[in-house]
Amino acid sequence: MTISIKDIARVARVSHSTVSRALQNPNAVNEQTGERIREIARSMGYRPNVIGRSLATQRTHTIGVVVTTVADPFVAEVVTGIEDVAQRDNYAVFLANSNADPEREIGVVRSFGDRRVDGVVVMASRVGAMYLPLLNELHVPIVLIDNQHPGRFAHSISIDDREGARTAVRHLLDLGHRRIGYIGDRYGLQSDDDRFAGYRDELERAGADVGSELVAHGNGRAEGGLTAAGRLLALREPPTAVFCYNDMTAMGALRCLHDHGMQVPKDISVIGFDDLPISTFLQPPLTTIRQPKAEMGRDAAATLLKLIRGETVDVRTRVQGTLVLRSSTAAPGKANPNG
Amino acid sequence: MTISIKDIARVARVSHSTVSRALQNPNAVNEQTGERIREIARSMGYRPNVIGRSLATQRTHTIGVVVTTVADPFVAEVVTGIEDVAQRDNYAVFLANSNADPEREIGVVRSFGDRRVDGVVVMASRVGAMYLPLLNELHVPIVLIDNQHPGRFAHSISIDDREGARTAVRHLLDLGHRRIGYIGDRYGLQSDDDRFAGYRDELERAGADVGSELVAHGNGRAEGGLTAAGRLLALREPPTAVFCYNDMTAMGALRCLHDHGMQVPKDISVIGFDDLPISTFLQPPLTTIRQPKAEMGRDAAATLLKLIRGETVDVRTRVQGTLVLRSSTAAPGKANPNG
DNA sequence: TTGTAGGCGTTATCAC
DNA sequence: GTGATAACGCCTACAA
């Protein structure tokens, strides 16, 4: 049996509204009675029923987070950041995986709406334009992380994919590479487009080889990187360096290269994107573009909480990636990245 | 403005209870009016308010999941499994990280209670005995995954750590190793104790070297494995094979070994535990004991949902790990696991 | 089959 | 400062 403010009221011989006040706003009630009520509440082991409160206040102190899958290390890091600041502010977080399935994503968002979450953060949404009205239907603030569908109907926080890609490719060019491949995520993803664009930018600027045969597509996961790398290796003139859409893709590429007896970075350089916790532990340790993952998550949550409180915040925040030098890149033919 | 059953009632010229019935239990209301009401609801874009419903039914259709951190790949896999079956049954899941901090874990559980979740799954709880009353205070079913604190006050699903460890070490022994090291998680963890026990079992059974100098402790993460492996290598007579508490630990150990110029498995064999998605992509691909992670998560959720429905289920389910042969183990001195 | 009336646990607005 | 009283949105006897 769970006890309510009415139970306390009965024991304290006051009305339940006085109990409510004593518990919420201590100085809206007589000092003495207030203390007495709180003591009784404590001794009875009272715990507020958030559901009842939510119904009365029209606020649930809850946010919904929808991601493709939390099994993706990048996603997990971001979610950690979100959960962190939410928890600090006493917000609970609903987590739902969409598996990049638009139907499921829509279902999840709808369910969040039914549950009256105070706000939503959507990560790497795959849903298109028809999604917009649905999201607005919720009547709650929305923050998008790495929005895959261009549009500005909600607040967003994302990395500068194009510039990050430029940084990566520039690094390769600086090392002396001229024939640089790209292993992307699936076609049509905004971030893949952008990273590819950055890759092209630098190649063209430097007058290096540009050719569609140098571009292969994976799926953002290791297996995708593995098979895509195979395609690049099969070229009559394979690249001497490869820029991968993300670290998971690079991880798969490394495996493929090793299986083909190629030395990294001596025979071919590899650079990733994300800087996952595991990337230091790959063989060789992966050079990559770091995304401030947890920070992005914290930012997203902080932004959302501000919006919920009615504060106004920047509609769009864009963070920059930074180059993390490790051992998977070197000048063509060099085994040592520092040599 | 969000619309309620009263709004629909007004339009349909019926009472709101009829609307409620028409929406819930179609055949508890006249066929015609029922259809008419539903049509009106649809056209008005009605969405049920789950908060109101929860207050009335005393059920939230929500479960709480508390984990150390979802940034741990093993945890993420399990959570995915949980979320999967929860979502299928229209349960929403609250996710909270405890960061292995008992205070935070307690706070989280309490918050779940206040939110009237219908059930809770706790993963790898670090909290001790005082936790027990708190958990019971919730008055909801609880399922523990890999409970780190021995006790039988709630349903649990876990892997047979001891047997899994035995399998791992037996594999090493079968390959001809006699001097086998163990890199554990922190002291005091139940699963570490059990895996260590399994390791000792086999060593003693085989009459192989047993010595505390062969045991080092990490922290369940890669860095821990890295430094612990360093300690083992510093031995005047280092082991020829190492059994690691988990794959992340093994990952760190591999890095250390490589940095010391050691070849795996030629100079030293390494076996892990978990079989993370990334483990195939390590260099060399990691031989390990597979835990059915997503399945364990699905099991936990399915068990919890049954308990919530009042069905009775096994108090304890124990799954077995299976040996996954890859390339990080071989006979002493052999470079090829198959040679 | 349908409507009336309570109640779920809180908060909030009034009078007193 | 305190107590009625009325929401909040829904469900569910009970009565009609």
Side-chain angles (χ1 to χ4, degrees):
Chain A
M1 246 311 300
T2 173
I3 79 141
S4 73
I5 53 173
K6 284 186 185 164
D7 300 317
I8 300 176
R10 204 169 306 122
V11 174
R13 302 193 161 287
V14 294
S15 72
H16 71 278
S17 24
T18 300
V19 175
S20 176
R21 277 187 288 253
L23 262 25
Q24 292 253 229
N25 188 358
N27 44 324
V29 80
N30 176 291
E31 177 107 11
Q32 322 257 333
T33 35
E35 195 40 66
R36 192 167 59 86
I37 289 172
R38 281 187 292 278
E39 177 48 34
I40 292 176
R42 222 171 296 130
S43 72
M44 294 179 75
Y46 171 74
R47 299 258 77 206
N49 182 321
V50 174
I51 300 297
R53 174 180 299 165
S54 295
L55 193 56
T57 60
Q58 301 287 71
R59 285 183 160 286
T60 55
H61 247 69
T62 295
I63 68 175
V65 176
V66 16
V67 301
T68 50
T69 168
V70 77
D72 178 321
F74 176 78
V75 172
E77 292 284 325
V78 176
V79 168
T80 297
I82 295 173
E83 208 273 329
D84 222 59
V85 344
Q87 192 175 137
R88 175 164 30 252
D89 270 29
N90 269 306
Y91 274 75
V93 356
F94 278 130
L95 180 73
N97 296 158
S98 70
N99 287 321
D101 171 0
E103 298 241 359
R104 198 164 160 181
E105 181 166 342
I106 289 175
V108 155
V109 168
R110 191 159 270 149
S111 137
F112 283 169
D114 293 350
R115 288 168 184 283
R116 299 300 188 266
V117 298
D118 292 341
V120 173
V121 7
V122 182
M123 229 184 124
S125 168
R126 294 311 204 64
V127 184
M130 23 83 84
Y131 191 36
L132 200 158
L134 168 62
L135 240 26
N136 285 328
E137 208 171 86
L138 293 184
H139 301 302
V140 297
I142 296 159
V143 172
L144 265 20
I145 299 181
D146 287 338
N147 183 17
Q148 293 298 342
H149 189 84
R152 9 32 340 175
F153 58 92
H155 290 245
S156 84
I157 138 139
S158 54
I159 192 159
D160 189 336
D161 283 304
R162 189 158 185 168
E163 185 55 34
R166 281 201 199 101
T167 304
V169 175
R170 198 179 311 126
H171 167 61
L172 262 16
L173 289 164
D174 288 349
L175 286 170
H177 293 279
R178 299 270 105 195
R179 196 160 170 76
I180 300 173
Y182 173 61
I183 300 181
D185 198 328
R186 303 178 201 71
Y187 276 111
L189 282 193
Q190 184 64 31
S191 55
D192 179 66
D193 284 353
D194 291 347
R195 290 178 199 178
F196 174 72
Y199 157 83
R200 283 292 290 253
D201 288 350
E202 284 299 310
L203 255 34
E204 285 168 359
R205 186 187 58 71
D209 291 6
V210 179
S212 62
E213 82 276 10
L214 286 173
V215 177
H217 279 262
N219 57 7
R221 299 206 307 270
E223 321 87 75
L226 192 155
T227 66
R231 259 172 277 142
L232 256 32
L233 282 189
L235 256 36
R236 45 241 152 299
E237 193 188 353
T240 64
V242 181
F243 165 46
C244 296
Y245 171 79
N246 64 8
D247 286 6
M248 289 306 284
T249 299
M251 185 174 214
L254 286 180
R255 154 102 286 117
C256 171
L257 296 172
H258 183 271
D259 290 350
H260 282 70
M262 311 212 44
Q263 305 261 10
V264 176
K266 182 161 168 290
D267 301 325
I268 187 168
S269 284
V270 174
I271 187 168
F273 203 108
D274 281 355
D275 189 31
L276 301 178
I278 53 172
S279 298
T280 339
F281 296 94
L282 295 178
Q283 189 51 42
L286 189 68
T287 293
T288 189
I289 302 296
R290 166 174 299 160
Q291 290 205 59
K293 300 162 287 297
E295 185 188 326
M296 287 165 73
R298 286 192 295 266
D299 261 31
T303 299
L304 188 61
L305 295 187
K306 279 184 193 157
L307 288 170
I308 290 174
R309 293 193 209 95
E311 302 172 29
T312 70
V313 291
D314 290 344
V315 160
R316 163 163 222 145
T317 77
R318 179 154 225 147
V319 305
Q320 293 297 329
T322 57
L323 179 64
V324 177
L325 258 23
R326 286 201 274 255
S327 316
S328 65
T329 53
K334 298 274 190 179
N336 187 330
N338 312 310
Chain B
M1 246 314 298
T2 172
I3 78 139
S4 73
I5 54 173
K6 283 188 186 162
D7 299 320
I8 300 176
R10 204 170 303 122
V11 174
R13 300 190 164 287
V14 294
S15 74
H16 66 278
S17 29
T18 301
V19 175
S20 176
R21 279 187 285 255
L23 262 26
Q24 293 252 227
N25 188 357
N27 43 325
V29 81
N30 176 292
E31 176 108 11
Q32 321 257 333
T33 35
E35 195 40 67
R36 191 167 58 87
I37 289 171
R38 282 187 291 278
E39 177 49 33
I40 292 177
R42 220 171 297 130
S43 73
M44 292 178 78
Y46 170 75
R47 297 259 78 206
N49 181 322
V50 173
I51 300 297
R53 174 180 300 165
S54 296
L55 194 57
T57 60
Q58 301 288 70
R59 288 186 158 283
T60 55
H61 247 70
T62 295
I63 67 174
V65 176
V66 16
V67 300
T68 50
T69 170
V70 76
D72 177 321
F74 174 77
V75 171
E77 292 285 324
V78 177
V79 168
T80 297
I82 296 173
E83 209 272 329
D84 222 58
V85 343
Q87 192 175 137
R88 172 164 35 250
D89 270 28
N90 269 307
Y91 274 75
V93 356
F94 278 131
L95 180 74
N97 295 158
S98 69
N99 286 321
D101 171 0
E103 298 241 359
R104 196 162 161 182
E105 181 168 342
I106 289 176
V108 155
V109 169
R110 190 158 269 146
S111 136
F112 283 169
D114 294 351
R115 289 169 182 283
R116 298 300 186 268
V117 297
D118 292 340
V120 173
V121 6
V122 182
M123 228 184 125
S125 168
R126 296 311 204 65
V127 184
M130 22 82 84
Y131 190 38
L132 199 159
L134 168 62
L135 240 27
N136 284 328
E137 208 171 87
L138 293 183
H139 301 301
V140 297
I142 297 159
V143 172
L144 266 19
I145 299 180
D146 287 339
N147 183 17
Q148 293 298 344
H149 188 84
R152 7 33 338 166
F153 58 93
H155 289 246
S156 84
I157 138 140
S158 54
I159 192 160
D160 189 337
D161 284 304
R162 190 158 183 168
E163 185 54 35
R166 281 201 201 101
T167 305
V169 175
R170 199 179 310 127
H171 167 61
L172 263 16
L173 289 164
D174 288 349
L175 286 169
H177 294 277
R178 299 269 106 193
R179 199 163 168 73
I180 301 172
Y182 173 60
I183 300 182
D185 197 326
R186 303 178 202 72
Y187 275 112
L189 282 193
Q190 183 64 30
S191 56
D192 179 65
D193 284 354
D194 291 346
R195 291 179 199 176
F196 174 71
Y199 158 82
R200 283 291 290 255
D201 288 349
E202 284 300 309
L203 255 34
E204 286 168 358
R205 186 187 60 72
D209 292 5
V210 179
S212 63
E213 81 276 10
L214 285 173
V215 177
H217 279 262
N219 56 8
R221 299 205 307 271
E223 323 88 73
L226 192 154
T227 66
R231 258 172 276 143
L232 256 32
L233 282 189
L235 256 34
R236 45 241 152 302
E237 195 188 350
T240 64
V242 181
F243 166 46
C244 296
Y245 172 80
N246 64 9
D247 285 5
M248 289 306 284
T249 299
M251 185 174 213
L254 285 180
R255 156 101 285 116
C256 171
L257 296 172
H258 184 272
D259 290 351
H260 282 70
M262 311 211 45
Q263 305 261 8
V264 176
K266 182 159 167 291
D267 301 324
I268 186 167
S269 284
V270 175
I271 188 168
F273 203 108
D274 282 355
D275 189 31
L276 301 177
I278 54 173
S279 299
T280 339
F281 296 93
L282 294 179
Q283 189 49 41
L286 189 69
T287 293
T288 189
I289 302 295
R290 168 175 298 161
Q291 289 204 60
K293 300 160 287 297
E295 186 190 327
M296 288 167 71
R298 286 192 296 265
D299 261 29
T303 300
L304 188 62
L305 295 186
K306 279 183 192 156
L307 288 170
I308 290 174
R309 293 193 210 96
E311 304 172 28
T312 71
V313 291
D314 289 343
V315 160
R316 162 163 223 145
T317 75
R318 179 154 226 147
V319 304
Q320 294 296 330
T322 57
L323 179 63
V324 178
L325 259 22
R326 286 201 274 255
S327 318
S328 64
T329 52
K334 297 274 188 180
N336 188 329
N338 310 313

